[in-house]
Amino acid sequence: MIIVMQKGASAEALAEVERRVVELGYQPHVIHGETRNVVGAVGDERGKEVLQTLEVLPGVERVVPILKPYKLASREVQPETSEVEIVPGLVIGGQEFIVVGGPCSVESQEQINESAVAVKSAGARLLRGGAFKPRTSPYSFQGMEEDGLKLLAEARALTGLPIVTEVVNPRDVELVAKYADVMQVGARNTQNFALLKMLGQLDKPILLKRGMATTIQEFLMSAEYILAEGNRRVILCERGIRTFETATRNTLDISAVPVLKQQTHLPVMIDPSHATGHAHLVPPMCYAAAAAGADGLLVEVHPCPEEAASDGPQSLRPADFAAMMKKLKLFVDAAGRSLG
Ligand code: PEP
Ligand code: MN
């Protein structure tokens, strides 16, 4: 249920609604809108009719059921797109289209520094790099773990770029949070509910990737796990889904962007690298993402893709990344945004 407050309802009226929601056994989540506040009452769906009685309280305009299974993620609760602040002056979900660039894995100080300098000079606003890698084969490179996080922190100090890095195991949440500016949940963990609940308790932005076989509704239910724990800074990322097609590594579901934009207020990014699996297919999908209304991109870039420890074939060389960024600006401008 959502309790829609009247325009200009007092702080006392809002506090009273919150108090009554708790009394009825639900969790109140206040969303401060531009013109009015709403209170999401989240909890056991059975007996939710009792919440309807709150309509008589001072300052309450109406009480409406949310028909979608996800509540806090839905646009019904919050019509304005969420602006997720990463660091002061850097927002995902606002007017600026934000590009994250960097290698699949952190491999050495030289490699991550070189990547960071290259993506920054081409216009990327954040650096990506995996220190904990969820590899399909147990024999593949598993990542540099904490040493990799330290190298990322050095690259951040060098360039000023905030870091996006993945946490694979719930046991490592605290460790990764010590270094990361944005915690990434990979496609293989989209429905790791124990991990999502832990991330919901952090005061840190979460980049949640869509699982390779999760529907949009399931994807939004995963976001709901994080939101329901109190962390509102969730960014969604479409990275391709598994289909019968083998020409590409996955199939980029570009229509997920407008569908998500309709259903949720959370920002939406596109990862064209894992979606396609081939470097030459990445730039066109970057342009498509901007045209479709995405809020940004997560792109794999490696100073020497042929030597990459993981995902070399889909990684752009710095020069190709820079050329893509130049052309991307035309699409971002056409979409009415600015390249941040
Ligand atoms: C990655 O970003 O390197 C990664 C492993 O992505 P995904 O979880 O989308 O496969
Ligand atoms: Mn990768």
Side-chain angles (χ1 to χ4, degrees):
M1 288 282 196
I2 49 176
I3 298 116
V4 182
M5 302 300 291
Q6 291 165 356
K7 263 188 210 167
S10 68
E12 292 75 42
L14 182 65
E16 178 59 13
V17 167
E18 282 188 83
R19 197 185 67 71
R20 294 292 285 272
V21 166
V22 172
E23 204 173 78
L24 292 171
Y26 290 81
Q27 268 181 318
H29 292 265
V30 181
I31 292 141
H32 298 280
E34 265 164 35
T35 55
R36 65 185 78 228
N37 296 324
V38 302
V39 181
V42 178
D44 192 336
E45 289 292 286
R46 292 164 297 179
K48 62 178 185 290
E49 288 73 25
V50 69
L51 288 163
Q52 206 76 49
T53 60
L54 300 186
E55 218 155 61
V56 301
L57 289 180
V60 172
E61 187 173 287
R62 63 203 145 93
V63 177
V64 280
I66 311 170
L67 301 173
K68 302 271 176 11
Y70 43 88
K71 315 289 178 194
L72 300 171
S74 86
R75 268 226 196 256
E76 289 172 73
V77 165
Q78 185 185 313
E80 303 95 20
T81 297
S82 283
E83 298 194 354
V84 175
E85 185 177 70
I86 309 300
V87 291
L90 175 54
V91 164
I92 299 181
Q95 146 72 15
E96 288 186 322
F97 184 90
I98 302 295
V99 179
V100 183
C104 180
S105 302
V106 179
E107 297 163 14
S108 67
Q109 191 69 73
E110 199 184 11
Q111 173 250 15
I112 195 67
N113 284 357
E114 208 180 311
S115 306
V117 168
V119 300
K120 184 178 181 181
S121 75
R125 300 287 299 279
L126 295 100
L127 173 67
R128 65 148 288 150
F132 290 90
K133 295 305 301 176
R135 305 306 301 282
T136 302
S137 164
Y139 307 118
S140 301
F141 175 61
Q142 302 288 310
M144 293 182 73
E145 306 190 343
E146 187 168 8
D147 288 343
L149 296 173
K150 289 181 179 158
L151 302 184
L152 278 167
E154 286 293 325
R156 170 175 53 201
L158 176 71
T159 57
L161 292 181
I163 303 164
V164 182
T165 195
E166 179 167 350
V167 56
V168 176
N169 191 321
R171 170 186 78 194
D172 300 319
V173 165
E174 213 177 304
L175 173 67
V176 177
K178 257 186 14 199
Y179 296 90
D181 297 289
V182 179
M183 310 275 282
Q184 178 174 319
V185 178
R188 290 153 191 83
N189 264 329
T190 309
Q191 291 188 303
N192 183 340
F193 303 121
L195 176 65
L196 300 177
K197 283 187 192 176
M198 286 180 76
L199 295 173
Q201 285 162 19
L202 292 184
D203 179 23
K204 228 173 239 290
I206 311 297
L207 183 95
L208 176 65
K209 288 204 173 186
R210 180 180 181 182
M212 55 189 91
T214 49
T215 64
I216 287 176
Q217 180 162 307
E218 288 163 346
F219 186 24
L220 289 172
M221 293 305 287
S222 291
E224 189 79 11
Y225 265 93
I226 303 171
L227 299 169
E229 292 291 328
N231 187 349
R232 305 293 174 81
R233 290 196 284 166
V234 177
I235 303 150
L236 304 172
C237 182
E238 156 66 35
R239 46 75 75 204
I241 51 176
R242 187 154 282 182
T243 68
F244 55 83
E245 184 53 70
T246 54
T248 48
R249 182 175 178 183
N250 290 286
T251 297
L252 179 59
D253 182 7
I254 197 77
S255 61
V257 176
V259 173
L260 286 166
K261 284 282 165 193
Q262 182 190 46
Q263 316 261 324
T264 181
H265 55 84
L266 298 172
V268 181
M269 297 185 88
I270 288 281
D271 169 353
S273 309
H274 294 86
T276 62
H278 300 280
H280 74 281
L281 299 176
V282 169
M285 294 303 100
C286 292
Y287 312 143
D295 296 295
L297 291 166
L298 183 73
V299 183
E300 286 188 341
V301 181
H302 195 287
C304 188
E306 54 277 25
E307 287 172 16
S310 58
D311 288 348
Q314 68 194 33
S315 299
L316 293 181
R317 292 174 197 285
D320 296 331
F321 178 70
M324 179 283 287
M325 289 292 281
K326 227 169 146 200
K327 192 162 164 192
L328 177 67
K329 187 175 180 312
L330 302 172
F331 290 88
V332 171
D333 288 345
R337 309 284 285 268
S338 53
L339 192 54

